[in-house]
Amino acid sequence: MNKTILKTAVAVFVAAMCVACNGKKDAENGEMTCSLEGTVKGITGTDSLLLIDVMGEDTLAMVEIKNETITPLQVTISDKVFGLLATKDQRSILLPIFLEEGTVKVDGNINDPSSLKVTGTPMNEEFEDMSDKMAELEKSIEDASEDADPDENLKKMADIVKPAIKKHKDDVMGFYYFIQYNALFDTPQKLELLNDLDAKWGKEEMLSTMKEALEKQTSSAEGSMFTDFEAEYDGKIQKLSDYVGKGNYVLVDFWASWCGPCRAEIPNLIKAYNEYKDKGLVVLGVATWDEPDDTKRAIDEMKIPYPQIINAQKAGSDAYGIEGIPEIILFAPDGKIEARGLRGDAIETRLKAIYK
């Protein structure tokens, strides 16, 4: 697992403000009214920010700031809310915050994100503790020697996050933790956690799409028979089965012309093609989420010699639950999946073992 995947999850705060949320539920309708107030150090004059309900995609309130002090206001919510404070143009997210009963206290300076602390209610106290622990482990990975195994600290991260997701499976914090930290887990673990979340989150398009992809990844894991798909371009239909299951090993690269990491892998694939094509290896590119003209231009620019399925768009990624590219899959001569997620030296290592 690449540690850079965790950057967004660990560095949660990029700026901050002070908010107090004095909440009590309305006895008649079950609603909760939160009073917001606080101080924004490092901001001079008068300014305003948006308080956004992430799940509802609604603006809850305009937060006015004068002389580093938030003008008190009230927000009524019917359930615990994961909110964000953002600039008026919504281009910059300043502070994630959980709105719930109690008093939320935030302290720090907008010019020193590391100084920001959010306390006062159970969810925000836990959120702050989680952020500190994850930041500490991230720093351990960054400071480790080249010989150190980053998986040890990544496992520690997973051991912190998993019980937190299960603890909050019925509220918005569980949803938030899963979205932020699911990269720490393998496909079966992701499905386990996803299925454990409250059913209402399954209605969220983000999670339903992810669940569908994970289920397809499970059905197309190593050892599974290939799933066919087809793409049409320039009046011609091409299928994966035109290449896979024909008695040769087939190395398939799901890629796009605009994808930097994809282009970085192309030389490795060209090398593999040139080295092993006479021994029967078939290398195939599958243009994914890409415009045909852009694909063809990239093929010419990079002098890619092996065949391509052009204009596959989502056909291949849907078939194999691919959420990011490049995704390089090695198929065995009988069509079963030999390996997934091959990159860099791992391609040569795998092929060398096969064609020794």
Side-chain angles (χ1 to χ4, degrees):
M1 183 182 300
N2 193 317
K3 67 182 181 182
T4 58
I5 296 174
L6 305 173
K7 286 291 188 180
T8 301
V10 174
V12 176
F13 301 109
V14 295
M17 65 191 335
C18 299
V19 180
C21 174
N22 299 305
K24 61 179 181 180
K25 291 185 178 179
D26 187 300
E28 294 183 359
N29 57 26
E31 291 183 335
M32 182 171 65
T33 301
C34 295
S35 300
L36 282 74
E37 58 185 28
T39 302
V40 184
K41 299 177 183 177
I43 291 183
T44 58
T46 301
D47 203 348
S48 59
L49 300 170
L50 296 179
L51 178 59
I52 302 170
D53 177 357
V54 177
M55 304 301 299
E57 298 182 354
D58 297 324
T59 298
L60 295 174
M62 181 73 76
V63 181
E64 296 184 356
I65 307 160
K66 186 176 182 179
N67 298 325
E68 298 189 340
T69 301
I70 296 174
T71 301
L73 59 89
Q74 290 188 331
V75 178
T76 301
I77 53 178
S78 59
D79 200 353
K80 294 176 180 178
V81 171
F82 173 56
L84 292 174
L85 283 170
T87 55
K88 287 178 289 187
D89 59 10
Q90 299 190 39
R91 291 182 179 179
S92 298
I93 302 302
L94 302 180
L95 175 67
I97 185 169
F98 291 92
L99 301 180
E100 59 179 335
E101 278 194 285
T103 301
V104 177
K105 298 180 179 179
V106 181
D107 183 51
N109 192 306
I110 195 171
N111 297 316
D112 182 13
S114 64
S115 72
L116 301 169
K117 301 294 178 183
V118 183
T119 58
T121 64
M123 292 177 80
N124 286 290
E125 292 274 2
E126 181 179 326
F127 180 67
E128 180 65 31
D129 183 58
M130 173 77 77
S131 298
D132 287 344
K133 289 178 179 177
M134 300 301 270
E136 182 179 345
L137 289 170
E138 173 74 3
K139 188 174 186 305
S140 296
I141 294 175
E142 291 177 345
D143 294 343
S145 66
E146 292 184 0
D147 296 331
D149 183 3
D151 288 344
E152 181 179 349
N153 282 325
L154 293 175
K155 183 180 183 304
K156 290 180 181 178
M157 288 182 174
D159 290 342
I160 293 171
V161 173
K162 186 174 183 178
I165 294 175
K166 288 184 172 294
K167 175 183 175 182
H168 290 281
K169 64 184 180 65
D170 297 324
D171 61 51
V172 71
M173 181 168 260
F175 176 89
Y176 170 81
Y177 282 156
F178 180 82
I179 293 300
Q180 288 292 339
Y181 296 113
N182 70 81
L184 290 167
F185 305 101
D186 59 23
T187 296
Q189 290 172 323
K190 288 179 184 179
L191 273 173
E192 174 194 344
L193 291 170
L194 188 55
N195 288 328
D196 203 29
L197 289 175
D198 191 292
K200 63 186 175 186
W201 304 125
K203 298 177 182 178
E204 293 294 328
E205 182 178 358
M206 183 186 300
L207 285 192
S208 60
T209 300
M210 184 182 296
K211 184 175 182 179
E212 183 179 354
L214 290 170
E215 289 172 342
K216 288 179 179 177
Q217 288 173 23
T218 300
S219 64
S220 60
E222 294 179 5
S224 303
M225 184 59 68
F226 81 97
T227 299
D228 202 11
F229 63 86
E230 65 180 42
E232 181 178 358
Y233 175 67
D234 199 21
K236 180 181 179 182
I237 293 179
Q238 285 187 289
K239 299 180 180 181
L240 182 65
S241 56
D242 294 336
Y243 302 89
V244 174
K246 302 293 186 181
N248 293 310
Y249 281 95
V250 184
L251 190 63
V252 180
D253 175 32
F254 295 82
W255 72 292
S257 63
W258 49 263
C259 169
C262 297
R263 297 177 76 108
E265 289 294 339
I266 298 296
N268 296 322
L269 295 161
I270 293 175
K271 178 183 177 182
Y273 171 78
N274 289 330
E275 188 168 353
Y276 296 108
K277 63 179 180 179
D278 291 340
K279 296 184 177 181
L281 177 68
V282 176
V283 180
L284 173 69
V286 177
T288 304
W289 317 326
D290 202 12
E291 293 299 323
D293 287 346
D294 295 335
T295 300
K296 292 175 66 178
R297 190 178 302 112
I299 292 171
D300 291 340
E301 290 173 353
M302 303 188 73
K303 296 180 172 55
I304 300 175
Y306 46 82
Q308 301 283 330
I309 294 181
I310 295 177
N311 199 37
Q313 303 302 345
K314 295 175 60 181
S317 57
D318 284 351
Y320 289 89
I322 296 171
E323 298 176 280
I325 52 177
E327 173 73 3
I328 300 172
I329 302 177
L330 179 64
F331 294 90
D334 61 358
K336 289 183 179 178
I337 296 173
E338 182 86 5
R340 287 195 62 158
L342 293 173
R343 290 285 195 93
D345 293 341
I347 298 172
E348 171 64 19
T349 299
R350 196 70 179 234
L351 294 178
K352 191 173 182 179
I354 291 173
Y355 294 109
K356 58 185 179 181

